[in-house]
Amino acid sequence: MSERIVRPTSRLLVLDDHDRVLLMRTVAPDSSRSARWITPGGGVDPGETHVEAAVRELREETGQVVTEVGEVVRVDDFEVSWDDADHTHGHAEFFVVRLPHFEVVDDEWTDEERTDILESRWFGLDELTATDEPVEPEDLAEFVRRVLSAGSTA
């Protein structure tokens, strides 16, 4: 793919009332089909803002309905190296959402999500720091630490 194609996404750092972060173990869009833990979220649809996408993605991927997600707390721009990706670059805007602990509801998952999402799990900061499994972004534990230290309640 020689043309630069950017996929805008909204990602959610979902924290429960015990300061655990919700992650989803998903299959990478690559012929390797390797798994990694990521925050809920996904693509911004045409005509949609990042905030609107974050609200929608939270509902679709977890079953949780919110009306707002606060301000952007992080922006990542990156090159995509997956061989099966339909884009060359990503632009991710992160939001923090604090909710009482809940179990993920998959009623609105797409067929693709049912194939690509292997499991969901709440991670405490110590667990996240200690895991040897791949996480994205790679500095996710430090990001969560900073958000918890700042007392973000978006």
Side-chain angles (χ1 to χ4, degrees):
M1 191 180 302
S2 59
E3 178 187 357
R4 179 182 169 97
I5 301 170
V6 179
R7 179 177 186 243
T9 60
S10 291
R11 311 267 4 137
L12 295 134
L13 196 64
V14 180
L15 299 168
D16 74 2
D17 39 9
H18 299 286
D19 288 341
R20 293 176 295 195
V21 62
L22 178 64
L23 298 181
M24 298 182 151
R25 188 166 168 258
T26 65
V27 176
D30 190 289
S31 59
S32 72
R33 304 298 285 166
S34 61
R36 80 273 198 238
W37 290 98
I38 63 172
T39 62
V44 177
D45 290 339
E48 191 175 46
T49 67
H50 279 274
V51 169
E52 292 166 339
V55 168
R56 176 183 50 76
E57 287 287 343
L58 182 67
R59 187 193 75 244
E60 290 176 358
E61 292 191 357
T62 71
Q64 297 298 300
V65 177
V66 299
T67 56
E68 59 183 64
V69 292
E71 299 295 319
V72 173
V73 295
R74 174 178 173 152
V75 175
D76 284 348
D77 289 297
F78 53 93
E79 191 170 325
V80 173
S81 59
W82 302 308
D83 61 10
D84 283 347
D86 60 358
H87 54 288
T88 62
H89 294 78
H91 172 83
E93 295 189 8
F94 286 79
F95 302 86
V96 176
V97 176
R98 281 196 169 272
L99 295 168
H101 184 80
F102 64 88
E103 296 301 320
V104 169
V105 175
D106 64 3
D107 293 350
E108 292 193 53
W109 286 10
T110 64
D111 289 341
E112 184 177 290
E113 287 167 333
R114 291 187 188 287
T115 300
D116 293 346
I117 299 174
L118 306 174
E119 64 181 303
S120 61
R121 182 174 147 208
W122 292 92
F123 282 80
L125 184 55
D126 290 343
E127 289 177 285
L128 183 57
T129 301
T131 188
D132 58 357
E133 295 181 80
V135 296
E136 289 180 13
E138 288 183 8
D139 68 340
L140 183 59
E142 181 55 35
F143 177 36
V144 171
R145 180 177 285 108
R146 285 193 312 270
V147 167
L148 291 173
S149 294
S152 180
T153 56

